[in-house]
Amino acid sequence: MDDAKEGERDAGRTAPAPFRSAVEALRATRLRPEIEIESTKPPQRLAPYAYALEAAVVEGDEDLADGRLVLLHDPAGHEAWQGTFRLVTLVRAELEPEMAADPLLPEVCWSWLTGALQARGLSYGEPSGTVTRASSHYFGGLATRPAASQIEIRASWTPREVLGGVPDTAAHLASWCDLLGQIAGLPPAVDPGDAAVVTLPQRRGPQTR
């Protein structure tokens, strides 16, 4: 956490104004109480400027899902991004093994990401990513452990810039938290009439904090 704070201070002194504004909007965003979020040390080589957040969906002492969101900025623009900003994310949660075996699960999880952005009316481009499901089965001395399955979404997209060349990062963060809530099995935080929302049922054994 100290490294993250030091990185924030360095960015505040040297980063261009659009990036500083985008970061301040992230810091000021109010989130639903089940989501705990904090800044963390960003990657160093993906872009000239970067800011990162870690989040967990918490119920009591249990983590239902967790993730990481990174804001990248290249003032010169990036051909692959088709813009000067990029958002990169990792979201993961444990699943019941039978749900992990659903052949449509990857498509459904990807639609949660795009649907969360669309539900808030956000403009974005160049989306890309992967949805991975993994299962662990235990043998020998570990045979008493139940099988475990996990879903993981890795994705990136270009938030369209609005006033002053700055994207609405607060709204993008809110949509990302909507995705976290869905993969954790939480009820939607917004009016269900705003968007079609399908959440995961309660999973086996959330991780204890």
Side-chain angles (χ1 to χ4, degrees):
M1 190 63 182
D2 290 340
D3 289 342
K5 290 180 179 178
E6 182 63 31
E8 289 181 27
R9 287 194 290 268
D10 290 343
R13 289 193 293 264
T14 64
F19 179 73
R20 296 199 306 269
S21 296
V23 169
E24 285 304 318
L26 290 175
R27 293 173 179 163
T29 303
R30 297 182 63 183
L31 306 173
R32 60 189 299 176
E34 299 94 336
I35 297 178
E36 295 183 357
I37 194 164
E38 64 179 6
S39 61
T40 187
K41 187 175 181 179
Q44 301 298 308
R45 300 180 180 179
L46 297 181
Y49 304 97
Y51 180 77
L53 294 167
E54 289 181 332
V57 180
V58 179
E59 186 175 77
D61 292 328
E62 296 175 328
D63 288 354
L64 302 179
D66 60 73
R68 179 181 172 96
L69 183 69
V70 180
L71 175 68
L72 304 176
H73 179 54
D74 186 341
H78 195 293
E79 183 177 357
W81 303 352
Q82 293 296 299
T84 62
F85 284 90
R86 188 77 171 171
L87 284 163
V88 182
T89 187
L90 163 67
V91 173
R92 59 194 173 192
E94 289 194 19
L95 301 173
E96 291 285 356
E98 56 270 23
M99 170 149 296
D102 186 340
L104 296 179
L105 184 63
E107 288 80 4
V108 170
C109 288
W110 183 256
S111 74
W112 289 344
L113 170 62
T114 58
L117 294 168
Q118 293 165 3
R120 292 184 178 270
L122 294 170
S123 179
Y124 66 97
E126 311 305 319
S128 63
T130 61
V131 177
T132 304
R133 49 188 167 185
S135 298
S136 299
H137 298 266
Y138 301 94
F139 302 93
L142 301 177
T144 57
R145 293 187 183 183
S149 298
Q150 187 180 74
I151 192 75
E152 180 180 275
I153 304 172
R154 294 179 179 267
S156 63
W157 65 95
T158 298
R160 295 303 184 204
E161 298 160 16
V162 288
L163 293 177
V166 182
D168 188 351
T169 50
H172 281 271
L173 174 58
S175 71
W176 180 70
C177 289
D178 292 342
L179 171 65
L180 268 178
Q182 282 185 271
I183 201 171
L186 297 182
V190 296
D191 185 340
D194 290 345
V197 175
V198 179
T199 57
L200 291 177
Q202 179 63 48
R203 288 167 304 286
R204 179 199 61 77
Q207 299 175 351
T208 301
R209 292 167 63 83

